[in-house]
Amino acid sequence: CQRAGGCQGRRRHDGYPPCSPTGLRLITPRQPTLEIQPQSQLTVNNLAFNGSDEQKQRYLPGLCSGELVGCMAMSEPDYGTDVLGMATNAVLQEDGNWCINGRKMWITNGPQADIIVTYANKDFANMGRSPTGFVSSFIIEKPTKDAYVGKVEEKLGIACSGTSALAFDDVFVPDANLLGTEGHGFNVAMATLD
């Protein structure tokens, strides 16, 4: 990270897009600037506190070096950030892996993300708003043909990172990419946002 010299959201003369209101930016090999909070708090800290040792070894070095870009996909078109009411669902397959279907929106770093931390409801079709034990958290790796970027939002500021919708259509997620334990996604989400 480096201090951007008080650009205060204005286009900089050195070719970089505007920085965040705090004047902080993360310099990465893949992209000149990246919004720090979704990368550090919503992805890196989430994995650091909730990930297995294998997940930490696999993802954290690349996320911390900037070689990988991460995002957290929580908000949904019909439910906003109501984790217990979300319609994105996860179905445990006979082989022990997961199939995820749903839509997310307003996802900071969504277009650039290599790693998506998302939340899915185990039984939305039958339950509607779930008890806390039905939501789980997952790590989805891009690119995958079944998880794709939807509409990219046009923004007036914070052009350092893209904001987009994400769509999951029968996305295969190995059980090794369950973040935390099954049914504890609500706890993972609340701890991340706290």
Side-chain angles (χ1 to χ4, degrees), residues 78-136:
D78 295 327
Y79 296 93
T81 56
D82 179 4
V83 178
L84 298 179
M86 63 181 50
T88 297
N89 67 4
V91 177
L92 184 61
Q93 306 296 295
E94 289 181 13
D95 63 3
N97 296 306
W98 295 87
C99 179
I100 297 181
N101 285 283
R103 304 285 181 266
K104 303 292 182 175
M105 62 187 310
W106 309 305
I107 309 305
T108 304
N109 291 346
Q112 302 93 342
D114 301 297
I115 306 298
I116 303 165
V117 173
T118 195
Y119 302 87
N121 189 330
K122 188 173 179 182
D123 197 19
F124 179 81
N126 296 321
M127 303 271 314
R129 188 169 164 82
S130 291
T132 58
F134 280 74
V135 177
S136 295

Side-chain angles (χ1 to χ4, degrees), residues 3 26 37 42 44 50 70 77 83 98 132 134-135 163 173-174 190:
R3 196 87 162 125
L26 178 67
Q37 200 264 347
L42 302 181
V44 171
N50 300 300
V83 178
W98 295 87
T132 58
F134 280 74
V135 177
T163 298
V173 178
M190 295 304 104

Side-chain angles (χ1 to χ4, degrees), residues 15-165:
Y16 289 114
C19 61
S20 70
T22 62
L24 295 175
R25 57 187 177 160
L26 178 67
I27 307 302
T28 69
R30 286 198 28 223
Q31 163 180 335
T33 60
L34 176 73
E35 196 62 28
I36 292 173
Q37 200 264 347
Q39 178 82 358
S40 65
Q41 177 64 28
L42 302 181
T43 309
V44 171
N45 281 355
N46 197 339
L47 285 165
F49 287 108
N50 300 300
S52 66
D53 289 340
E54 179 187 335
Q55 290 168 342
K56 291 174 189 178
Q57 291 171 4
R58 183 171 183 174
Y59 300 116
L60 289 180
L63 288 166
C64 290
S65 71
E67 292 176 37
L68 295 175
V69 175
C71 72
M72 183 177 79
M74 182 184 294
S75 298
E76 294 192 355
D78 295 327
Y79 296 93
T81 56
D82 179 4
V83 178
L84 298 179
M86 63 181 50
T88 297
N89 67 4
V91 177
L92 184 61
Q93 306 296 295
E94 289 181 13
D95 63 3
N97 296 306
W98 295 87
C99 179
I100 297 181
N101 285 283
R103 304 285 181 266
K104 303 292 182 175
M105 62 187 310
W106 309 305
I107 309 305
T108 304
N109 291 346
Q112 302 93 342
D114 301 297
I115 306 298
I116 303 165
V117 173
T118 195
Y119 302 87
N121 189 330
K122 188 173 179 182
D123 197 19
F124 179 81
N126 296 321
M127 303 271 314
R129 188 169 164 82
S130 291
T132 58
F134 280 74
V135 177
S136 295
S137 181
F138 300 90
I139 303 166
I140 297 175
E141 297 178 35
K142 285 183 11 187
T144 173
K145 64 182 178 67
D146 303 315
Y148 54 92
V149 175
K151 178 185 177 212
V152 177
E153 300 292 335
E154 293 184 30
K155 303 184 293 187
L156 294 174
I158 312 178
C160 302
S161 63
T163 298
S164 70

